[in-house]
Amino acid sequence: MARRRQSVTIKHVAADAGVSLQTVSRVINNEANVRPEMKERVQASIDKLGYVPSIAAQRMSGSRSYLILALNDRERTIEDWRAREGRDWVDQMLLGGMLKCAEYGYRLIFELVDTHSDHVERELNAAIAAMQPDGVILTPPHSDNKLITDLLEASGIRFARIGSRANGGNISLTMGDDDLAAMATHHLIAKGHTRIAFIAGSQEYALTQWRKDGWKAAMQEAGLPTKDLCERGDFSFTSGEAATRTLLARADRPTAIIAGNDQMAIAANAVAHELGMRVPGDLSIISFDNTPVVRFVQPPLTAIDQPVAETVSRAVELLIMANRGEELPPMPVVVKGGLVERASVAAPRTAATND
C-alpha cells in the first residue's frame, strides 16, 4: 500500500529556510517588520515545498483570525431551504463572500441566528468566543438589530451592515433599493401605465420602506396617483396573494404591479391568471430579487436584480481594509443592481389599442 504523502507544514518551511516559526508567520501574514532578504528566503522555501498557509499558521501572530463571520436569519433561511423554491440569497452570499475571502487568504464562516429568540445574545457570544472573527457581516433584519450591533461594538469586532444606512462608525452597504424601485416604476410609466401598484414587504426590514419610497417618489414625479395602490405583504407567497386580490378587486384597479420580492410577484401572477387576466396584456408585473425561479414561471418575470454576491464581496473587502487601517469610502456604500427585462411587462391594453 502506498504511503500517504505527509502534508507540508509551517515547521517544514521554517526548517528549510533556517528561520523561526514566528518569522515564517510574519512572512505569511505580509507583516512590515520583515527584512526583504528574509522574506525572499522564506518565500523560496514556501515555493519549493509547495506549502499552502493554513489558518492556524496565519493566526500564530495573534493579531488576526483570518475569519469573517456572516450572519443570516435562521427562521427565514431554513424556511427557504425546505421550500426548495429556487431562492438563492444564501448561495449568492457564499459566492461573493467566499471568493473575496479567498483572494485575501481569509475564510468565510456562515451562521444562522434567530432574531426573535431570547437566546440570540448567547448564540452570538458563543460564536464569537469560538472563532474570534476579524469581522462580521450582518444581513437584514440583523443589520439594524441593536442587541446584535451593541454586542459586537462591546466586543471590539468590526461589522458590516448590509441593507442598512446606519453605520455608527462601522461599515454599511445598500443596494440602492429606493432607486431600484423608482427604476421599475419609470419602466412601467414608459410603457404607458398610469395606475401602478406596489406590494410592500415586511416592516421588519428597513429596505421595505426604501422600496416603497422609491415607487412613491417616481409616481409623484410623474404626477400619478398612489392612493389605494399600495398593499402590505410579508415577503411570503400567501401575503402576495392576499395583497393582489385586494388590489385587483378595486373598481379602478391597477394595470401593473411591482412586488417587493419574487414570491409575492409569483403570487400576483398566479392570482391574475386565476381571475382570467392575461399577463402582461391585462396586468404587467415586476419583481424584486431576480432569483432563478422567476425565469421559469409563465410568463417569465421582469425583475429588479439584487447584486447580493457583489454586495457581500464588497463587505468582505471593506472589513479587511478596516482591519488593515486603510481609509474607507463614505458610508453607506451603494452597490447598485439593475432591471432584467423578460415577458411580464407590456403596454396596458388601452394604450396598446390606441397605437
Side-chain angles (χ1 to χ4, degrees), residues 91-353:
D91 290 349
Q92 292 299 308
M93 277 185 65
L94 295 176
L95 171 64
M98 291 178 72
L99 291 181
K100 184 57 65 174
C101 277
E103 284 183 31
Y104 288 92
Y106 279 68
R107 295 293 184 272
L108 183 75
I109 306 295
F110 183 75
E111 289 280 329
L112 299 179
V113 177
D114 189 350
T115 303
H116 307 290
S117 170
D118 295 335
H119 306 304
V120 61
E121 187 173 3
R122 185 180 67 190
E123 289 180 8
L124 190 52
N125 273 323
I128 289 171
M131 288 177 271
Q132 292 296 308
D134 287 337
V136 175
I137 297 174
L138 301 177
T139 58
H142 299 316
S143 312
D144 291 307
N145 186 321
K146 198 170 185 303
L147 176 63
I148 293 176
T149 57
D150 284 353
L151 190 155
L152 292 173
E153 285 179 348
S155 301
I157 297 174
R158 289 187 175 89
F159 55 92
R161 296 175 168 185
I162 292 177
S164 175
R165 290 174 178 166
N167 57 65
N170 279 283
I171 296 164
S172 57
L173 305 95
T174 77
M175 301 181 208
D177 293 85
D178 49 351
D179 290 340
L180 292 175
M183 180 189 297
T185 309
H186 287 310
H187 183 70
L188 291 166
I189 292 171
K191 294 289 186 182
H193 293 274
T194 57
R195 290 193 59 77
I196 302 168
F198 187 80
I199 302 178
S202 169
Q203 289 179 300
E204 187 179 9
Y205 295 73
L207 54 81
T208 289
Q209 187 61 45
W210 303 340
R211 294 175 184 179
K212 181 180 176 182
D213 290 344
W215 160 78
K216 192 170 185 179
M219 294 288 282
Q220 290 175 342
E221 180 186 331
L224 298 176
T226 57
K227 184 180 179 182
D228 295 329
L229 286 172
C230 184
E231 289 296 322
R232 173 78 59 189
D234 61 8
F235 294 130
S236 69
F237 183 93
T238 302
S239 72
E241 281 185 310
T244 303
R245 291 186 193 284
T246 299
L247 289 167
L248 296 182
R250 292 186 175 133
D252 196 5
R253 68 190 186 191
T255 60
I257 290 176
I258 301 170
N261 79 331
D262 288 340
Q263 293 301 307
M264 295 192 298
I266 293 169
N269 185 58
V271 169
H273 281 93
E274 179 187 320
L275 296 175
M277 299 175 68
R278 295 179 303 169
V279 177
D282 299 311
L283 181 71
S284 288
I285 299 173
I286 295 182
S287 179
F288 257 88
D289 292 344
N290 194 37
T291 54
V293 68
V294 299
R295 291 177 290 165
F296 304 114
V297 298
Q298 290 300 319
L301 301 183
T302 293
I304 291 293
D305 187 63
Q306 291 278 89
V308 177
E310 294 87 345
T311 304
V312 176
S313 175
R314 185 66 172 138
V316 167
E317 193 170 44
L318 291 169
L319 284 169
I320 293 172
M321 288 173 62
N323 281 326
R324 290 179 171 181
E326 297 176 18
E327 185 177 354
L328 299 179
M331 300 294 162
V333 170
V334 180
V335 183
K336 289 193 175 182
L339 181 75
V340 179
E341 295 187 52
R342 297 193 180 92
S344 64
V345 172
R349 181 187 291 181
T350 53
T353 302

Side-chain angles (χ1 to χ4, degrees), residues 1-5:
M1 179 182 292
R3 293 180 60 189
R4 289 183 59 187
R5 182 179 176 184

Side-chain angles (χ1 to χ4, degrees), residues 1-45:
M1 179 182 292
R3 293 180 60 189
R4 289 183 59 187
R5 182 179 176 184
Q6 185 178 15
S7 298
V8 177
T9 70
I10 190 174
K11 292 181 180 180
H12 296 110
V13 174
D16 187 79
V19 299
S20 66
L21 295 176
Q22 289 74 19
T23 298
V24 177
S25 178
R26 287 197 292 271
V27 172
I28 291 169
N29 294 319
N30 200 27
E31 294 182 14
N33 59 338
V34 182
R35 298 194 310 275
E37 60 271 21
M38 186 63 71
K39 185 174 182 179
E40 289 179 11
R41 184 168 153 189
V42 172
Q43 189 60 52
S45 293

Side-chain angles (χ1 to χ4, degrees), residues 47-64:
D47 294 341
K48 182 176 79 172
L49 298 174
Y51 171 68
V52 177
S54 68
I55 289 178
Q58 289 175 306
R59 296 177 84 167
M60 283 185 63
S61 64
S63 58
R64 299 176 194 166

